[in-house]
Amino acid sequence: MKKILLLPLLLLSTLFASAQTRSLQGRVVSATNQHAVSKASIMIKDGKSFITDDSGHFKIEAPSGAFSLTASSIGFASQEVAINAGDNNIIIQLAETDKSLGEVVVVGYSDKKKGELTSAVAVVDAGKLKDVTTNDVGSMLQGKVAGLQVVNSSGLPGASAEIRLRGISSINASQSPLYVVDGIIGGNFDPNDVESITVLKDASATAMYGSQANAGVIVVTTKKAKTDKTSFEFKATTGFRTPDFGNLDMMNGEQLYNYQKEFYRDYIPGDSGNSYKIDLLKFYDERPRELQYQNNNWMATIFSPAFMQNYYISISGKTQKNDYYFGASYYNEDGTFKNTKYQRLNLRASSTLHFSPKVSLTNTINISGITGKSYDYNDIYYAYLNMPWDDPYDSTGQPVYVDGNSTFKWWSRDKINPLHTIDHSNHPYKSFDVNYDLNFNYQITNWLTFSSTNRIGASYGKSTNYYSAEVAGQYNGTGYLDESSTLNYSGISNDLLKFSFRFGEHQLSGLAGVAFEGGKTETLGATGRGLPFNLSVLNVVSSNLSVSGYNDRSALVSYISQVNYSYKNRYFLTGSYRIDGSTAFQESKRYGSFPAISAGWLVSNEGFLKNNPVIDLLKIRAGFGITGTQDIGASRYLGLYSLTSQYNSESAATPSQLPSPNLTWESKYQTNVGVDISFFKHVSLSVDLYRNLTKNLLLQVSQPLSVGFETRWENSGEIENKGLEITLSTINIQSKNFTWSTDFNISFNTNTLQKLPASFVKTGATWSISQIYRNGGNLYEFYMPVWKGVDPQTGAPLWEVVTKDADGNVTARETTSSYANATYQEAGSALPKGQGGFTNTFTYKNFSLSANLYFLYGNKVFSNALRFVMNDGNEPYYNQIVLPKGYSIWTKPGDIATNPSPQNAANSTETSTRYLQNGSYLSIRNITLGYNLPQSFATRLGLQNIAVALSADNVYTFTKFLGQDPQTTIVSATYTTPGVSDFKYPNNHQYLLNINVKF
């Protein structure tokens, strides 16, 4: 009976309570530009608090009568707002105090305001990103982020830059940063669709991605609708590019003719009757005088200016229930080398459906298709080395066929006409890629949200190398065809609970959830010879048919958590913990833990610095965390067998890899301390110090001979990287019509190896160019005889001989003309000691001018091409370079020369520091002159804005490097050694006209 009596009372009290509250919704915006203020705090006097969403909206249960609330956010002045009894929908405008602090930065699986950051993060917006026109975002980042090394090691159309963040921290694992597109690992995108790039540098930011973030993270945020009306944008870029041959100035016919006279001096080493004069009669007999007038420029014949174009159009807008964006781009780049090109078509569409204020669903699809043509390295090799005395064309203007049996005189050593080969070969490739993202967000309560981000992707690529039977060389008479194709499909799902709430001066946010990722790669290839009638399909191959293929499957499961705490918008603390389970290790070693913690103190929000006339911002940051890697390929822990042989007419299994049951994660321990400060609202400075220690390196360790295998995968050794990064931004002049601003960054890094399993490890096999790894040394340290110049009395090459005592101390240094007796020594690392970028931007009324520079110093580059094009007569039928200023050839006793006598140059082109160059350079990366047409003119045309610009990329490089290009690969692979420059596809100078229309 009591329960029955209590029920009406309970209902009455509930109705009474509901009558005392009402639903109040609103939006917080910036008073300056009416843009949404996300993650603003809304606090009612009774202590209840709420956080606005990404669009600045909030919905709360408020008292029924009049009351007041306080709205606050980092970068804005707090404001107390009086709410009347009849108010149900309000707009709160907050005045900006520091715009930069209120900017939203995408980090990890969430976003933060810049003022809340406790880690080392760099943000590059679209305006600063796209001064350089390319299809590769990595190239766009060159010189714009402190600590980010970007190397354009090839000018091949469509080539991607090599990127390294804060040095090299692994020997065998990939050192390319992880790309995250719109919050999901991986994915495809077009640079035109990019809104901003965020580079996560330290573990307190990257540990959220665990084992995949060992080399840093590049977060790509694509464009979204910004206004409630439909907006259109159209961009057209067109122009041309020319090859950059660096300092390799090849001789013309006359120069080569006069140079080869040096081969005919009357000098026999050790003979007392030398006259050291040129035997002209013999020279003219073997080198007819008409040769000096035969001048075919092979470089100009094979390389030429090339056309490029890029077109982009987008449509975006918002309605009450839908945000939408569509972008389409077409990129077409012809190669400066004959018969090379690259084309890409990209379509991106995104739509966010708002079913209610609490539920939204985003669908995004990105489709791209690529076609192109690559090249044969040998053809570039011949372009440099074939002699100008050879005419590549016959009387009809067609490329002449030449080989060792040709009856006419062909001076170049290799009897190959690359123009003929290019015309009778083909190296096409094509690929197709599609990614579909499905993101679901449900705001369970005012402080709790469920987020599910998912992506499925598939890609297919095919490449072909074809030579007809008409080419000279090894494929003559048979032809050759090589085809390979790769199918890849993958999926990823991140399911997270995110929370954010405030109590008094305290704010707490974070997330917890699970991520699944998996994929499979299927590769198939075939090669063969015997191709009749110039057909280039595998079903006509009649001999030497060979088939290859493999499948690779991987899976990763991750458990993710993060907590962010702030107090009074002054003190910030972030902690994260991730567990990854990878199929790259056996079950007992499968899971790795990756924790991180960081803290920040916004000192400028303290009372003693508020309204300070000098210091606008002062923030101190510190963080520590662990990331790891398992990226050395699948099944390294297993004992493997090869099944490609036969025994007794049956398939035979031959051991190919020793088992490594204890193999586990390679882990990088990262510490970062930083400070951000700005003065007079015109100067911003960020300084970061870091120490990254990679432990348990995944190495192939040498085994005793009794084992029967040379190496086995083990965890051994450490790599330490320590560095300093400085970023400075200034507004030097700011007036009504004129502004001059500067962005500058510089970084320094030292790399040290330690705890290796052997005293030293000698690596590198390309052209016998060795590098050495030893405890206390650097990665990519060149190891070779030291060049000591030319003997003034004999003209012979000299190298250094070092004598050491039993304790390893140097007791003597001498020179020798015997290469076999020279001492191998450490000669410098391919890793730079420092790098940076410098950008100046000037605006005057509707005009703008910007110039971007990139510099790098302290690294060594082995110019391998020099051993061919400055070969001292060791190979007289290669073209040579015009000797630079300061270089000379030894001609007689007493000469102080740089190049040995052609008569006494034995072994002079063998690997030594003679060809090891200073790789430092300063590059004028980009110059852009822009003009915004008057707004009145655009309005008359019914347009919002019209902008035109002229730009030049890769304008000029200042360097002492003698070679093709100091930008040299830093990738270690089968045919490449870090820091070794060879005959490569040259980078390009680029001159463009850009038109941008918004309406």
Side-chain angles (χ1 to χ4, degrees):
M1 178 62 70
K2 290 181 180 180
K3 293 180 180 180
I4 296 174
L5 292 174
L6 285 173
L7 184 58
L9 294 175
L10 182 60
L11 291 173
L12 286 173
S13 63
T14 302
L15 291 172
F16 179 78
S18 63
Q20 307 304 308
T21 62
R22 59 189 163 111
S23 178
L24 175 68
Q25 61 183 0
R27 189 167 185 247
V28 180
V29 298
S30 166
T32 305
N33 50 27
Q34 302 300 303
H35 287 174
V37 179
S38 64
K39 301 189 184 325
S41 173
I42 307 296
M43 188 164 63
I44 304 176
K45 286 294 185 181
D46 63 4
K48 291 182 180 179
S49 61
F50 306 88
I51 305 295
T52 62
D53 63 17
D54 292 340
S55 300
H57 291 102
F58 66 90
K59 186 176 182 180
I60 62 177
E61 289 297 318
S64 58
F67 69 98
S68 64
L69 57 78
T70 301
S72 62
S73 182
I74 291 180
F76 298 86
S78 298
Q79 182 176 342
E80 187 170 328
V81 182
I83 307 298
N84 298 320
D87 292 339
N88 294 313
N89 198 329
I90 62 173
I91 293 180
I92 302 174
Q93 299 186 30
L94 297 183
E96 288 183 348
T97 56
D98 190 324
K99 182 179 178 181
S100 64
L101 292 179
E103 294 175 356
V104 176
V105 178
V106 180
V107 291
Y109 291 90
S110 59
D111 50 29
K112 293 183 178 180
K113 291 195 173 180
K114 201 169 184 179
E116 300 172 332
L117 292 174
T118 56
S119 52
V121 172
V123 181
V124 184
D125 62 30
K128 293 181 179 180
L129 187 71
K130 295 174 184 173
D131 52 359
V132 176
T133 300
T134 174
N135 196 58
D136 176 50
V137 165
S139 297
M140 295 177 175
L141 288 171
Q142 189 177 54
K144 296 169 185 172
V145 177
L148 192 71
Q149 181 185 2
V150 178
V151 178
N152 293 302
S153 60
S154 174
L156 177 68
S160 297
E162 299 171 12
I163 303 177
R164 298 294 181 266
L165 180 62
R166 292 186 167 183
I168 310 293
S169 58
S170 181
I171 292 178
N172 288 305
S174 171
Q175 290 297 283
S176 297
L178 174 72
Y179 277 86
V180 176
V181 181
D182 289 337
I184 309 176
I185 290 172
N188 204 352
F189 62 94
D190 185 88
N192 289 297
D193 293 319
V194 174
E195 181 67 29
S196 68
I197 298 286
T198 304
V199 180
L200 311 182
K201 301 181 182 182
D202 65 348
S204 59
T206 63
M208 286 293 288
Y209 291 103
S211 62
Q212 295 163 296
N214 194 57
V217 178
I218 295 178
V219 179
V220 179
T221 302
T222 62
K223 293 178 180 178
K224 303 290 188 297
K226 294 181 179 180
T227 63
D228 292 339
K229 65 177 183 179
T230 301
S231 299
F232 297 86
E233 182 178 7
F234 172 74
K235 290 197 298 184
T237 301
T238 186
F240 67 95
R241 44 181 43 194
T242 60
D244 178 7
F245 299 125
N247 293 328
L248 288 187
D249 183 14
M250 304 306 296
M251 290 183 177
N252 59 31
E254 183 179 8
Q255 290 169 327
L256 183 64
Y257 189 78
N258 291 325
Y259 164 75
Q260 289 213 351
K261 290 178 181 179
E262 294 293 336
F263 301 166
Y264 291 83
R265 286 193 182 275
D266 177 22
Y267 171 43
I268 300 175
D271 194 323
S272 59
N274 295 313
S275 69
Y276 304 105
K277 294 181 180 179
I278 296 173
D279 187 344
L280 288 177
L281 292 177
K282 184 178 180 181
F283 174 72
Y284 291 142
D285 181 58
E286 297 183 8
R287 299 288 189 272
R289 295 191 182 193
E290 60 266 21
L291 286 180
Q292 62 186 313
Y293 307 112
Q294 294 177 202
N295 184 33
N296 173 62
N297 188 332
W298 284 97
M299 304 300 290
T301 302
I302 292 182
F303 292 94
S304 61
F307 184 66
M308 75 82 57
Q309 52 190 324
N310 187 19
Y311 304 102
Y312 162 76
I313 187 169
S314 70
I315 305 170
S316 63
K318 291 183 178 181
T319 65
Q320 185 176 4
K321 292 292 186 179
N322 186 27
D323 304 347
Y324 56 90
Y325 170 85
F326 172 78
S329 61
Y330 172 70
Y331 184 88
N332 186 351
E333 176 184 345
D334 290 333
T336 55
F337 184 81
K338 279 185 175 296
N339 203 28
T340 58
K341 68 182 306 178
Y342 174 89
Q343 294 183 91
R344 171 172 170 159
L345 176 64
N346 196 89
L347 303 174
R348 187 175 188 87
S350 181
S351 173
T352 300
L353 301 173
H354 300 280
F355 296 103
S356 72
K358 293 187 175 183
V359 180
S360 66
L361 183 71
T362 300
N363 294 272
T364 303
I365 188 168
N366 194 98
I367 303 173
S368 65
I370 293 172
T371 63
K373 290 186 178 181
S374 188
Y375 69 105
D376 185 336
Y377 162 83
N378 290 318
D379 294 332
I380 287 184
Y381 173 88
Y382 297 131
Y384 278 94
L385 297 181
N386 274 7
M387 303 176 79
W389 303 336
D390 293 321
D391 187 351
Y393 298 105
D394 61 20
S395 58
T396 65
Q398 296 300 311
V400 64
Y401 174 85
V402 61
D403 63 14
N405 298 317
S406 297
T407 56
F408 57 89
K409 182 64 176 178
W410 185 266
W411 289 93
S412 302
R413 193 199 77 168
D414 298 309
K415 309 302 181 184
I416 299 290
N417 180 359
L419 287 178
H420 185 275
T421 304
I422 292 170
D423 279 358
H424 293 85
S425 62
N426 201 15
H427 311 279
Y429 61 88
K430 55 188 174 183
S431 65
F432 180 83
D433 184 286
V434 59
N435 288 285
Y436 171 68
D437 297 358
L438 179 65
N439 302 341
F440 174 74
N441 283 276
Y442 173 48
Q443 187 175 345
I444 302 171
T445 67
N446 289 324
W447 59 272
L448 183 64
T449 302
F450 172 71
S451 172
S452 179
T453 55
N454 309 273
R455 173 179 293 144
I456 56 174
S459 63
Y460 175 78
K462 180 183 178 181
S463 62
T464 301
N465 285 310
Y466 164 71
Y467 299 87
S468 79
E470 297 176 79
V471 299
Q474 60 179 325
Y475 304 132
N476 180 256
T478 65
Y480 175 79
L481 181 63
D482 174 12
E483 288 191 352
S484 62
S485 60
T486 301
L487 172 65
N488 179 274
Y489 42 94
S490 60
I492 184 170
S493 178
N494 305 313
D495 301 290
L496 305 171
L497 283 171
K498 300 180 180 181
F499 60 90
S500 179
F501 55 87
R502 190 180 185 101
F503 44 97
E505 299 287 351
H506 307 269
Q507 185 166 335
L508 197 66
S509 64
L511 57 87
V514 62
F516 303 95
E517 183 176 355
K520 187 176 181 181
T521 300
E522 300 177 1
T523 300
L524 180 64
T527 64
R529 298 190 186 187
L531 300 169
F533 312 114
N534 290 326
L535 295 177
S536 57
V537 289
L538 284 169
N539 64 343
V540 300
V541 167
S542 60
S543 64
N544 297 92
L545 180 64
S546 175
V547 179
S548 63
Y550 69 89
N551 293 345
D552 187 15
R553 187 190 301 270
S554 63
L556 189 72
V557 60
S558 305
Y559 305 96
I560 309 165
S561 62
Q562 184 184 62
V563 175
N564 308 296
Y565 169 75
S566 68
Y567 176 61
K568 292 187 175 181
N569 286 337
R570 302 177 200 167
Y571 314 106
F572 305 92
L573 183 67
T574 296
S576 65
Y577 193 79
R578 175 168 175 143
I579 298 174
D580 278 352
S582 170
T583 55
F585 305 111
Q586 68 170 351
E587 291 186 8
S588 62
K589 305 289 184 179
R590 184 152 293 175
Y591 289 90
S593 300
F594 307 104
I597 188 169
S598 58
W601 178 23
L602 193 55
V603 186
S604 52
N605 272 5
E606 297 286 359
F608 59 84
L609 275 183
K610 275 195 172 182
N611 302 317
N612 187 285
V614 177
I615 299 176
D616 310 311
L617 167 70
L618 175 59
K619 186 174 186 179
I620 300 172
R621 300 174 279 102
F624 171 80
I626 302 173
T627 57
T629 186
Q630 34 87 32
D631 185 21
I632 58 169
S635 307
R636 298 302 189 192
Y637 69 96
L638 293 173
L640 299 180
Y641 293 83
S642 172
L643 298 172
T644 58
S645 60
Q646 287 192 335
Y647 177 76
N648 198 22
S649 300
E650 299 288 343
S651 294
T654 305
S656 62
Q657 176 178 286
L658 283 175
S660 301
N662 295 320
L663 202 65
T664 189
W665 297 85
E666 183 177 290
S667 300
K668 183 161 72 173
Y669 294 73
Q670 305 181 49
T671 304
N672 190 94
V673 177
V675 59
D676 306 315
I677 188 169
S678 65
F679 310 92
F680 304 111
K681 300 187 184 301
H682 281 69
V683 180
S684 298
L685 174 69
S686 291
V687 180
D688 281 276
L689 284 165
Y690 64 86
R691 177 179 183 264
N692 298 336
L693 180 63
T694 306
K695 298 182 178 181
N696 296 320
L697 292 175
L698 291 163
L699 295 179
Q700 289 180 289
V701 178
S702 297
Q703 301 296 303
L705 294 176
S706 59
V707 173
F709 282 82
E710 291 185 359
T711 61
R712 174 165 59 186
W713 285 97
E714 294 181 6
N715 292 101
S716 184
E718 297 179 351
I719 298 178
E720 181 184 57
N721 282 279
K722 293 189 293 186
L724 167 67
E725 297 171 352
I726 301 172
T727 301
L728 177 67
S729 297
T730 62
I731 301 176
N732 308 308
I733 299 176
Q734 188 173 40
S735 63
K736 180 180 179 181
N737 293 323
F738 180 72
T739 301
W740 170 28
S741 62
T742 299
D743 293 306
F744 172 78
N745 71 80
I746 189 169
S747 60
F748 311 90
N749 185 79
T750 60
N751 176 281
T752 307
L753 292 162
Q754 54 199 38
K755 297 184 180 180
L756 292 173
S759 57
F760 71 90
V761 180
K762 186 178 177 183
T763 68
T766 307
W767 293 106
S768 300
I769 303 167
S770 298
Q771 293 178 341
I772 186 173
Y773 298 163
R774 66 165 178 84
N775 290 318
N778 300 322
L779 270 174
Y780 309 152
E781 182 81 25
F782 287 101
Y783 189 61
M784 59 187 58
V786 173
W787 174 261
K788 299 301 290 184
V790 177
D791 189 325
Q793 298 305 313
T794 66
L798 296 175
W799 299 273
E800 186 173 60
V801 177
V802 178
T803 305
K804 297 182 179 181
D805 59 21
D807 297 325
N809 299 313
V810 176
T811 58
R813 293 182 182 273
E814 301 172 307
T815 59
T816 179
S817 58
S818 171
Y819 182 80
N821 294 332
T823 303
Y824 274 72
Q825 301 180 56
E826 295 178 25
S829 173
L831 296 179
K833 296 178 180 177
Q835 61 180 327
F838 186 53
T839 302
N840 280 287
T841 304
F842 307 89
T843 60
Y844 176 70
K845 294 186 177 179
N846 288 352
F847 290 92
S848 65
L849 174 66
S850 67
N852 171 246
L853 288 78
Y854 177 69
F855 62 89
L856 181 145
Y857 75 93
N859 63 312
K860 295 291 186 179
V861 176
F862 190 91
S863 187
N864 193 57
L866 287 182
R867 71 164 84 226
F868 298 93
V869 298
M870 195 166 65
N871 66 40
D872 311 319
N874 284 292
E875 181 43 74
Y877 296 104
Y878 280 156
N879 196 12
Q880 301 293 284
I881 62 168
V882 178
L883 290 182
K885 183 179 180 180
Y887 281 72
S888 61
I889 300 172
W890 189 93
T891 60
K892 63 185 182 301
D895 280 358
I896 306 300
T898 58
N899 292 24
S901 164
Q903 289 76 32
N904 197 12
N907 296 317
S908 66
T909 61
E910 292 297 320
T911 299
S912 75
T913 59
R914 178 188 184 185
Y915 300 131
L916 192 64
Q917 304 280 311
N918 181 352
S920 305
Y921 67 91
L922 169 65
S923 172
I924 303 177
R925 188 73 180 93
N926 169 266
I927 298 176
T928 299
L929 175 64
Y931 177 66
N932 284 319
L933 274 67
Q935 188 64 49
S936 58
F937 177 76
T939 302
R940 284 199 301 269
L941 297 177
L943 304 175
Q944 180 183 344
N945 183 61
I946 307 174
V948 295
L950 294 172
S951 66
D953 299 334
N954 195 29
V955 180
Y956 189 79
T957 299
F958 301 90
T959 182
K960 294 181 179 179
F961 176 78
L962 180 57
Q964 189 181 27
D965 189 348
Q967 290 198 78
T968 303
T969 181
I970 49 176
V971 171
S972 180
T974 303
Y975 299 108
T976 60
T977 299
V980 175
S981 173
D982 210 348
F983 296 109
K984 71 170 189 177
Y985 198 117
N987 284 328
N988 306 290
H989 306 295
Q990 187 167 255
Y991 310 95
L992 304 172
L993 169 66
N994 308 271
I995 301 174
N996 191 341
V997 179
K998 295 180 179 179
F999 52 97

